[in-house]
Amino acid sequence: MYTANTMASALEAMGMSLPYSSSTPAEDPLKLDECRLAGKYLLELLKMDLKPRDIITRKSLRNAMVIVMALGGSTNAVLHLIAIAKSVGIDLTLDDFQRVSDAVPFIADLKPSGKYVMEDVHKIGGTPGVIRYLFEQGFLDGDCLTGILLAFSLESAENAELFPPLSKGQEIIRPIENPIKKTAHIQILYGNLAPEGSVAKITGKEGLYFSGQALVFEGEEAMIAAISEDPLSFKGKVVIIRGEGPKGGPGMPEMLTPTSAIMGAGLGKDVALLTDGRFSGGSHGFVVGHICPEAQEGGPIGLVQNGDVINVDVKNKRIDVLVSDEEMQARREKWTAPPYKANQGVLYKYIKNVKSASSGCVTDE
């Protein structure tokens, strides 16, 4: 599920946007009605003195996480929801996401790993239909204010009942009893390669374990050039793209082109891609991003060398490089930080202030 759809669905489940806003196609005339209604209800919110801090709570954030997990949403949701939580004084962690992932089945047959797109979801009842189904199945908390939803001051449970259920016979949203995967696709991995965590997107089609020799690149451009020249040299390898974290990027670029190149070369099941950057919602394959600490900060991903064996064990939630602690320490003592890619202006200020991906890449702490 693509990033824009992911976050729009999360915001709708959280109660911060109008019903159907995340599933209505961009060119549908209903979008104009939505814009008009948004203005109308914003005025109502002002009259009620109802603010985002009143709507965004730990319970509503969990509802947002549930919808992301059920729909197979982008790993970017982890980054964004942590930052949103921090903006209202709530400490949301990677482990919170893992707990929700363990509890919620993956039920949406949506691209990039599935067959359908969000417009298809809209035709069978839209995001409100999905929300209603998940509420009826006991996965969503109904004790939340819904803010901008059509019935003001009603709680989520009451709002869910205002909307029709998913169309009978539809095949896009699978029944809870027969999910695509019994637990969700987002997995939080720790290990000596990611001591502060990483985020994997594993839909089940890629397998749950990958082991191979590291093939290291400083930035995505170097990787794209190499796979264009000799794609077969990537087979069986754990590709490392580093220097793409919040400080190293700067700004944590999306690795859509590298994942597309791997899939285009027919290597989706033969290559794992690890990065301190992030992925587009359009990325799929055996991918792990948000590796912390990032290379720019001297994290272990910055010390990996070509040929090091790396194990990615999703079942045990581990990501490790098979190099001794002594060897890693010796490499760390020889390591020098790469120069920043900006040394003045807004980007430099961003580099100096931004926190890690595991902390939501916020800049005001």
Side-chain angles (χ1 to χ4, degrees):
M1 185 186 183
Y2 301 107
T3 301
N5 292 140
T6 299
M7 288 311 302
S9 301
L11 290 172
E12 190 171 327
M14 199 189 305
M16 286 294 294
S17 63
L18 289 171
Y20 300 103
S21 61
S22 61
S23 56
T24 303
E27 296 184 355
D28 193 303
L30 288 173
K31 272 296 173 187
L32 293 175
D33 294 334
E34 181 187 316
C35 292
R36 286 189 286 268
L37 287 171
K40 173 184 175 181
Y41 289 128
L42 280 172
L43 287 174
E44 293 294 330
L45 288 171
L46 289 170
K47 293 175 184 176
M48 296 169 64
D49 194 31
L50 191 61
K51 302 179 178 68
R53 283 180 178 271
D54 302 313
I55 300 163
I56 302 172
T57 64
R58 184 164 289 279
K59 288 180 179 179
S60 69
L61 283 162
R62 188 183 186 282
N63 284 349
M65 288 189 278
V66 168
I67 201 84
V68 169
M69 301 301 177
L71 294 179
S74 165
T75 53
N76 284 315
V78 177
L79 191 73
H80 298 324
L81 289 176
I82 289 175
I84 289 170
K86 284 179 178 288
S87 74
V88 296
I90 296 173
D91 183 25
L92 198 65
T93 69
L94 294 180
D95 295 338
D96 290 321
F97 283 87
Q98 187 62 63
R99 280 189 285 272
V100 176
S101 181
D102 290 342
V104 177
F106 172 31
I107 58 173
D109 190 11
L110 294 174
K111 291 181 180 292
S113 60
K115 291 164 46 179
Y116 300 97
V117 295
M118 205 63 180
E119 183 175 356
D120 298 313
V121 174
H122 186 67
K123 292 174 182 176
I124 63 164
T127 309
V130 178
I131 290 172
R132 174 171 176 158
Y133 179 66
L134 290 170
F135 173 74
E136 290 172 345
Q137 297 298 317
F139 289 101
L140 292 176
D141 195 315
D143 186 23
C144 301
L145 280 176
T146 52
I148 307 179
L149 287 179
L150 290 176
F152 281 101
S153 295
L154 292 180
E155 294 180 343
S156 298
E158 295 167 290
N159 269 300
E161 293 170 357
L162 294 176
F163 303 107
L166 295 170
S167 301
K168 289 184 178 180
Q170 61 83 26
E171 298 179 348
I172 303 167
I173 305 299
R174 299 272 285 272
I176 295 296
E177 301 77 20
N178 183 30
I180 295 170
K181 188 170 176 283
K182 290 183 179 180
T183 57
H185 60 299
I186 288 180
Q187 298 292 311
I188 307 301
L189 311 182
Y190 292 93
N192 70 356
L193 190 59
E196 295 177 8
S198 63
V199 184
K201 182 179 182 181
I202 306 295
T203 63
K205 296 181 179 180
E206 310 85 355
L208 299 175
Y209 185 87
F210 197 101
S211 181
Q213 292 184 336
L215 190 58
V216 181
F217 298 96
E218 309 294 340
E220 67 170 306
E221 292 81 3
M223 180 269 183
I224 295 300
I227 197 170
S228 298
E229 185 174 331
D230 186 9
L232 290 180
S233 66
F234 281 65
K235 190 170 184 177
K237 299 295 177 62
V238 177
V239 175
I240 303 281
I241 300 179
R242 63 192 182 195
E244 302 285 15
K247 290 181 181 292
M252 220 175 172
E254 288 187 339
M255 299 292 106
L256 178 58
T257 305
T259 55
S260 299
I262 289 170
M263 300 303 291
L267 297 170
K269 294 184 178 180
D270 299 310
V271 172
L273 176 58
L274 279 52
T275 181
D276 52 6
R278 64 192 179 97
F279 294 107
S280 161
S283 297
H284 60 126
F286 204 107
V287 297
V288 185
H290 305 208
I291 291 177
C292 295
E294 63 174 292
Q296 184 70 51
E297 293 277 82
I301 190 173
L303 307 176
V304 173
Q305 297 179 1
N306 285 326
D308 290 346
V309 175
I310 294 175
N311 292 343
V312 183
D313 185 347
V314 177
K315 184 177 180 181
N316 291 304
K317 299 175 176 58
R318 297 284 307 181
I319 180 169
D320 295 289
V321 55
L322 303 189
V323 174
S324 68
D325 293 343
E326 293 77 14
E327 171 61 20
M328 289 298 278
Q329 182 57 36
R331 293 181 188 181
R332 183 170 286 107
E333 290 172 358
K334 297 177 182 178
W335 179 83
T336 55
Y340 291 145
K341 293 174 184 171
N343 54 25
Q344 62 182 17
V346 173
L347 284 180
Y348 180 70
K349 285 192 285 187
Y350 175 85
I351 291 168
K352 299 298 287 185
N353 287 287
V354 69
K355 298 297 181 182
S356 73
S358 294
S359 296
C361 293
V362 296
T363 58
D364 55 357
E365 289 186 348

